Amino acid sequence: MNLPIRQDILELEDSKIVDVWRRGFGKPGLIMLGVGEGDLPTPKFIADAAHEALLEGETFYTYKRGIPALRDALAGYHKRHWGVDVADERIAVTSAGMNAMMLAMEIAVGDGDNMVAVSPVWPNIFATAEIMGGEVRMVPLQNEADHWRLDLDRLFAACDGRTRVIYAASPGNPTGWVMPLEQIQAVVEFCRKRNIWFIADEVYNRLIYDRRVAPSALEVARPDDPVLVVNSFSKTWAMTGWRVGWMVMPLGLSHVIERLLEYNTSGGQPFLQRACVAAIEKGEDFVAEQVARCRAARDLVTQRLGGMRRVRVLRCEASFYIMFQVEGEGDSHALALKLVDQARVGLAPGSAFGTGGEGFLRLCFAASTARLGEAMDRLEPFFS
Ligand SMILES: Cc1ncc(COP(=O)(O)O)c(C=O)c1O
């Protein structure tokens, strides 16, 4: 029977990252480095805070935009790390970054509208626009020598009268590219002038290796600019399975977001939000340890891959991903499937990330150096 499913939904493609993950699922001894999460469990002090809140009965519906204690902690977090004052009414706790993205699209994109996105880009992002009936226009980063660079003229030239959103993740997934503050400023000004949204996805902004934090759109946006900053507890505090994130929105939007939150999730889980307060207030040592561990891991994989004859590695400034090309291998999806079967290493195919991704593989290096070293040993014969 033909079920009455909307055409936009029928046309959604399966994520090729998930496809490779499925191929590897249950394969004994597989080293899966194709998925976007680290191997460390959430720190105990964070889990304990959730446990205590549960036992204390924090199990009821709560504030749509999140418990006041968490909004308060988030305001302090933005002040401490980026020196910005964010009014309480601009903060909304969401069911992780994905839900924040979906809410942003519900606000911004309708049938026939378009979103201009810096690519390669995580496929879930373009799916959110497509679900709304929008078109996604990708503007690929250039990769010159060993680094990624955005041509702002190309980004702006891709916008037309139906553009409602410019999206950029900085630090980027899958590239680890960091958008310079001057470029962020130029995009904010462009969006202000055109009255279109800038969605600044900053979920990796603490996983950066040459400075303390990545630049944020909040440093240059005025409180009433059409800028939505998407963030998450997933990566910074090793909480991918918790599904808690937040967004910072312009003044005047909170009633709209509250309504949408009501109709999407009816608000988040208060006991999880208590744990997020603990993450923010007591989590800095963990973040520092995670960054140090990832830095060592990045250096190891950059050096090992760089030493393989057919490999071209691009520099990773931030996030926990590295992108590389293998000479003579044009079909990254087929290559990723072959590596699962024959090398027993899972990597994400670059073609999953839209324009500019094909020909690359993405490796998530948030793992122990022992495991990464073993993965490199297994890959070497295939790339030499
Ligand atoms: C660029 C980017 N944005 C947003 C997210 C959403 O993460 P979550 O929904 O776990 O908060 C991810 C996750 O991989 C990501 O890579």
Side-chain angles (χ1 to χ4, degrees), residues 33-335:
L33 305 174
V35 179
E37 65 182 347
D39 62 344
L40 297 176
T42 305
K44 185 171 180 308
F45 70 89
I46 298 177
D48 283 346
H51 187 209
E52 276 160 33
L54 258 179
L55 295 181
E56 278 163 21
E58 293 207 43
T59 57
F60 295 93
Y61 288 134
T62 190
Y63 299 83
K64 301 307 156 207
R65 287 191 297 111
I67 59 173
L70 181 52
R71 285 189 262 130
D72 219 46
L74 285 167
Y77 179 72
H78 287 290
K79 180 77 180 166
R80 267 196 308 284
H81 293 292
W82 289 272
V84 293
D85 290 303
V86 178
D88 177 76
E89 66 167 296
R90 295 181 59 202
I91 298 172
V93 176
T94 60
S95 297
M98 259 324 285
N99 174 231
M101 271 307 299
M102 202 62 236
L103 291 165
M105 293 296 147
E106 287 170 2
I107 289 171
V109 175
D111 229 4
D113 293 337
N114 69 65
M115 167 169 91
V116 172
V118 176
S119 69
V121 53
W122 188 44
N124 293 36
I125 302 296
F126 45 86
T128 58
E130 289 164 354
I131 288 170
M132 299 306 298
E135 177 209 343
V136 181
R137 297 183 176 178
M138 299 191 202
V139 177
L141 294 169
Q142 336 251 287
N143 56 86
E144 288 150 357
D146 68 344
H147 66 278
W148 299 96
R149 190 181 70 79
L150 174 65
D151 181 338
L152 273 185
D153 292 337
R154 287 183 65 187
L155 185 76
F156 297 151
C159 299
D160 65 12
R162 293 307 300 264
T163 302
R164 299 287 176 262
V165 174
I166 292 181
Y167 168 90
S170 170
N173 172 12
T175 55
W177 163 73
V178 178
M179 194 174 191
L181 193 61
E182 311 79 68
Q183 287 199 332
I184 298 177
Q185 173 131 31
V187 174
V188 168
E189 283 166 10
F190 181 86
C191 290
R192 181 189 300 145
K193 206 152 65 195
R194 295 275 190 112
N195 201 25
I196 60 179
W197 291 99
F198 176 35
I199 300 182
D201 182 337
E202 302 186 354
V203 308
Y204 297 99
N205 63 3
R206 300 297 309 282
L207 298 173
I208 186 158
Y209 305 111
D210 62 350
R211 52 204 126 149
R212 223 174 28 81
V213 293
S216 168
L218 295 171
E219 293 175 81
V220 289
R222 298 177 191 153
D224 58 353
D225 276 334
V227 172
L228 285 167
V229 177
V230 168
N231 218 321
S232 174
F233 288 86
S234 287
K235 319 287 174 171
T236 306
W237 294 278
M239 295 173 71
T240 46
W242 292 64
R243 316 309 302 134
V244 192
W246 74 97
M247 61 158 69
V248 178
M249 65 189 114
L251 286 174
L253 194 74
S254 62
H255 67 286
V256 174
I257 284 283
E258 287 203 356
R259 215 185 286 148
L260 282 180
L261 278 162
E262 174 60 32
Y263 298 144
N264 272 274
T265 56
S266 301
Q269 303 84 338
F271 52 96
L272 299 186
Q273 294 179 20
R274 286 280 169 213
C276 293
V277 174
I280 288 193
E281 314 243 287
K282 297 189 251 162
E284 282 306 310
D285 289 348
F286 174 76
V287 177
E289 277 164 34
Q290 208 194 176
V291 170
R293 183 173 185 261
C294 282
R295 185 188 289 110
R298 176 200 61 167
D299 292 347
L300 179 137
V301 293
T302 307
Q303 194 238 332
R304 288 288 307 270
L305 287 169
M308 297 180 198
R309 192 179 56 80
R310 290 199 296 142
V311 173
R312 172 180 173 241
V313 200
L314 291 191
R315 187 172 1 128
C316 160
E317 292 177 67
S319 80
F320 44 44
Y321 307 109
I322 196 151
M323 288 279 269
F324 61 96
Q325 277 173 316
V326 185
E327 193 189 292
E329 302 281 358
D331 182 343
S332 58
H333 188 216
L335 179 60

